[in-house]
Amino acid sequence: MDFTFSEDQLLFRDSVRDFLVNEVTPERIRGIWESDSGRDDGLWQQLAEMGLTGITVAEEHGGLGMNELDFVLLAQECGYVALPEPLVNTALVAVPVISQLGGEVAAQWLPQIAAGETRVAVGCRENGLAEDAAQSGLLLWAEPEALYLLTPEQFSARFNESVDPSRRLYAVDIADGVAPVASGEQAAALYRAVLDRGALGAAAQALGLAQRMIDISVQYTGERQQFGKVIGSFQAVKHHMANVAVRLEYAKAPVTRAAYALAHAEPAEVAVSHAKLVACEAANLAAKNSIQVHGAMGYTWEVDLHIFMKKAWAMAGTFGDTGFHKQRVAEFIFADSVALGAGTTFG
Amino acid sequence: MKVLVAVKRVVDYNVKVRAKADGSDVDLNNVKMAINPFCEIAVEEAVRLKEAGVASEVVVVSVGEKSCQEQIRTALALGADRGIQVETEGAVEPLVVAKLLKGVVEKEQPQLVILGKQSIDGDNNQTGQMLGALANMAQGTFASEVKVDGDAVSVTREVDGGLQTVKLKLPAIVTTDLRLNEPRYASLPNIMKAKKKQLDVFSPADLGVEVKSHLTQLRVEPPAERQAGIKVASVDELVDKLKNEAKVI
């Protein structure tokens, strides 16, 4: 069995990486933080022109019809640049959920999302807050009992500060009398889908963030000199980053596995929780060790490292924190019906 | 009007190149390759001419090993209509490339040929001019502005003294400078479409050209490391050092 990514998937990743690294610079992110809306409409338009807003939208609705496995590499690139725009939630959560709703809802919204005309925000009860709710033309709000697709006049949003200035978080109050688009068992299933998809997106971004923090730290320790040598030549410094690199490498396969499960409609809960736990652990370790090798300067506003560090912390807490995902893995392992052992690895 | 654009596969401009340990060449192992930036500007200009309704077809050509098809596909994703690879082995010097391009020009009969002014690997700045001489076509090099008007093209050139505008009768050759335009990114839908576009492969023999080398590369070594500067206390000391140590005044 060939587990490698296809040539096309890697070509897309490289193209998106070139675009994001050149266009989403730390300077631009700082500019976005200082803007009134906290968003850059020009950047969203650029993402749409690249075809990224429609990447998981079906071709019949003007998209590229790609799946979670195709997108997971691109989500890592979004993490690598700490993309402030909610592209990952759009492509990995909102579009598949609206597609599942199908019918008129899909026909109305998916072409607009693909064309970049409508931004869609995603929120759920587990998160409590919805990122970009006030900046979007559509809010997908998920609860276990009901799923809502809300236009701006159907809800009010109160701003809540995030540890990551790139994230604009809002508490949402739905107006009286607004009907959900799904309820009962359908809503429960979609709520789980929102959680799993959102967690996979956060995990993939965490991988990219960890890689970026390694790259920043390796560059810095290759330039900063002490005792007449670059500090990166000292074993104690080297090991800090080597430990992160190892942790990151081992986190990649679970993230890919989780994307595969979602792309092939397999039970994905445990795979997603595994992915979220290990990817966010790798990103947290990258943040911690990067601060160390920067000599605490990494925590300051002037050094770009904090852009990625804060995003990594935010990703760890969104769509289920560590406790939530450990609980899911524990419930799976301790269930009487669980099939464990080498013989069931690929079962 | 048909436009022919030549592109070259080179080491990506972000990569810090290193010489091989034995000094025989630049180390290309696991190095990211890309379209030469000046060639990318050439592709962009051709695509803009097509979008403006001036050009009817943009054909992109590259000379090199099979791997250069990657760069042709990138150019197709940027908006070129058709690709041609002239398959060669190993390093090919500018004169041979110019002869091969002349063969393609004779086959395709373009009205305008756009090339990058130089590639960032060899930095030769020769191919466009050699092609002009071989194909007996007018040439406007180092272009920062290109305007096609009927059967002529006006090219504003970046020269040492400022800007010079020349008017060339078509068919003509233009080589691009850095400020001609800012290339777009290839969108994902266009990358997918590019895979289905026509790409023909020719051998040098198909074009009646014999590939032979007139140059021998003796050694490749990195430039000497720059020494740290010093601070001087006064203008007098600076003048003294420039006069007596550096001996430049």
Side-chain angles (χ1 to χ4, degrees):
Chain A
M1 189 181 266
D2 184 3
F3 287 114
T4 53
F5 285 98
S6 71
E7 211 173 277
D8 286 349
Q9 286 166 331
L10 296 176
L11 177 64
F12 281 0
R13 179 201 61 188
D14 292 346
S15 303
V16 170
R17 176 184 294 169
D18 281 347
F19 164 74
L20 289 175
V21 167
N22 285 317
E23 295 298 323
V24 188
T25 58
E27 295 74 35
R28 190 168 187 180
I29 290 174
R30 287 172 190 272
I32 290 171
W33 289 354
E34 284 163 17
S35 68
D36 290 340
S37 70
R39 284 294 168 255
D40 181 339
D41 287 335
L43 179 55
W44 191 255
Q45 203 47 49
Q46 281 181 292
L47 294 168
E49 283 164 12
M50 280 292 288
L52 285 165
T53 51
I55 193 158
T56 51
V57 174
E59 289 180 48
E60 65 191 270
H61 294 305
L64 294 177
M66 292 188 174
N67 67 23
E68 293 76 0
L69 203 51
D70 298 318
F71 186 72
V72 75
L73 285 175
L74 309 189
Q76 290 173 47
E77 298 307 323
C78 295
Y80 189 80
V81 297
L83 180 69
E85 305 291 329
L87 177 69
V88 176
N89 282 352
T90 300
L92 215 47
V93 186
V95 167
V97 168
I98 294 172
S99 301
Q100 277 188 53
L101 289 168
E104 282 179 21
V105 172
Q108 181 187 357
W109 292 110
L110 293 179
Q112 293 185 38
I113 294 169
E117 292 161 3
T118 297
R119 285 164 170 268
V120 53
V122 174
C124 66
R125 188 179 290 167
E126 183 63 31
N127 286 351
L129 302 169
E131 190 178 348
D132 271 22
Q135 282 87 11
S136 301
L138 186 67
L139 168 64
L140 187 157
W141 181 261
E143 295 178 358
E145 309 82 21
L147 184 95
Y148 294 90
L149 276 181
L150 304 166
T151 50
E153 66 280 3
Q154 292 178 313
F155 68 95
S156 59
R158 281 170 290 114
F159 181 68
N160 278 248
E161 200 134 357
S162 167
V163 63
D164 172 15
S166 288
R167 301 179 85 219
R168 301 282 158 146
L169 299 177
Y170 295 87
V172 171
D173 291 315
I174 301 171
D176 292 338
V178 175
V181 288
S183 55
E185 281 186 17
Q186 189 191 13
L190 290 173
Y191 181 74
R192 289 194 296 275
V194 166
L195 266 180
D196 285 340
R197 292 173 169 282
L200 174 65
Q205 289 180 85
L207 293 184
L209 288 159
Q211 185 62 57
R212 183 61 173 269
M213 287 185 272
I214 292 174
D215 291 351
I216 290 173
S217 299
V218 168
Q219 188 186 0
Y220 174 73
T221 56
E223 289 167 0
R224 171 88 166 91
Q225 295 208 358
Q226 194 57 268
F227 310 118
K229 286 181 174 177
V230 293
I231 61 171
S233 66
F234 301 129
Q235 207 170 48
V237 175
K238 252 190 246 183
H239 280 193
H240 269 311
M241 299 328 296
N243 288 342
V244 180
V246 170
R247 189 76 66 94
L248 172 60
E249 204 53 39
Y250 278 101
K252 287 178 183 171
V255 173
T256 310
R257 174 69 182 92
Y260 181 92
L262 282 170
H264 292 83
E266 290 181 0
E269 277 193 11
V270 176
V272 166
S273 287
H274 181 194
K276 177 92 180 349
L277 286 169
V278 293
C280 290
E281 271 176 17
N284 274 336
L285 186 68
K288 189 177 146 198
N289 288 6
S290 295
I291 293 176
Q292 295 299 320
V293 302
H294 275 76
M297 188 178 77
Y299 199 75
T300 61
W301 196 261
E302 288 75 16
V303 176
D304 290 339
L305 180 66
H306 80 112
I307 295 173
F308 307 96
M309 199 165 66
K310 287 172 181 168
K311 187 101 181 163
W313 292 340
M315 288 300 101
T318 189
F319 293 106
D321 60 12
T322 304
F324 175 90
H325 289 288
K326 278 190 172 171
Q327 178 75 24
R328 288 214 310 192
V329 173
E331 282 171 8
F332 171 77
I333 291 172
F334 293 122
D336 290 338
S337 57
V338 69
L340 296 174
T344 61
T345 302
F346 300 105
Chain B
M1 182 178 81
K2 187 191 282 189
V3 180
L4 181 72
V5 183
V7 300
K8 185 176 181 185
R9 175 182 169 90
V10 298
V11 174
D12 186 272
Y13 72 94
N14 288 308
V15 173
K16 193 174 177 186
V17 293
R18 293 175 187 191
K20 283 182 178 173
D22 63 3
S24 60
D25 206 344
V26 170
D27 190 353
L28 296 180
N29 279 329
N30 297 319
V31 167
K32 188 184 173 197
M33 305 298 282
I35 292 188
N36 175 46
F38 291 106
C39 300
E40 207 173 359
I41 291 169
V43 174
E44 176 66 29
E45 195 61 22
V47 172
R48 287 187 189 189
L49 286 172
K50 192 181 171 202
E51 286 170 346
V54 176
S56 55
E57 187 184 25
V58 177
V59 182
V60 63
V61 57
S62 189
V63 175
E65 295 174 1
K66 195 174 179 192
S67 52
C68 78
Q69 287 189 8
E70 254 177 63
Q71 279 60 48
I72 297 174
R73 290 284 175 208
T74 304
L76 294 174
L78 290 169
D81 299 297
R82 190 155 59 79
I84 295 172
Q85 181 206 359
V86 182
E87 193 158 15
T88 58
E89 283 179 21
V92 187
E93 63 191 50
L95 180 58
V96 176
V97 175
K99 285 180 179 173
L100 292 168
L101 291 179
K102 181 192 169 222
V104 176
V105 166
E106 284 170 354
K107 234 180 204 330
E108 292 289 334
Q109 296 292 317
Q111 288 296 97
L112 189 62
V113 183
I114 312 181
L115 305 89
K117 72 168 182 178
Q118 65 194 67
S119 59
I120 60 168
D121 49 3
D123 272 344
N124 288 308
N125 184 2
Q126 293 173 347
T127 306
Q129 293 88 331
M130 286 176 169
L131 176 61
L134 290 169
N136 198 24
M137 290 162 79
Q139 56 177 291
T141 51
F142 320 138
S144 63
E145 195 177 353
V146 174
K147 278 186 194 162
V148 177
D149 183 16
D151 63 349
V153 57
S154 292
V155 179
T156 302
R157 308 177 60 226
E158 295 199 346
V159 293
D160 286 348
L163 298 176
Q164 177 197 44
T165 303
V166 292
K167 193 169 183 181
L168 315 171
K169 199 172 175 200
L170 295 174
I173 289 170
V174 171
T175 73
T176 62
D177 215 322
L178 208 57
R179 282 159 286 274
L180 178 59
N181 60 51
E182 198 176 321
R184 69 195 69 189
Y185 295 98
S187 70
L188 301 186
N190 284 342
I191 292 172
M192 288 172 91
K193 282 180 202 157
K195 290 170 66 183
K196 292 176 186 157
K197 290 184 180 176
Q198 184 184 339
L199 199 168
D200 299 316
V201 180
F202 296 121
S203 68
D206 294 335
L207 302 170
V209 177
E210 189 189 349
V211 178
K212 56 181 177 182
S213 182
H214 305 84
L215 301 170
T216 307
Q217 186 168 287
L218 300 178
R219 189 166 173 75
V220 173
E221 52 193 42
E225 271 195 38
R226 195 178 163 194
Q227 300 299 309
I230 56 164
K231 279 186 181 174
V232 291
S234 65
V235 173
D236 288 343
E237 190 188 345
L238 174 66
V239 172
D240 177 62
K241 283 187 182 297
L242 289 173
K243 197 178 278 183
N244 299 317
E245 284 184 27
K247 298 187 191 313
V248 292
I249 55 173

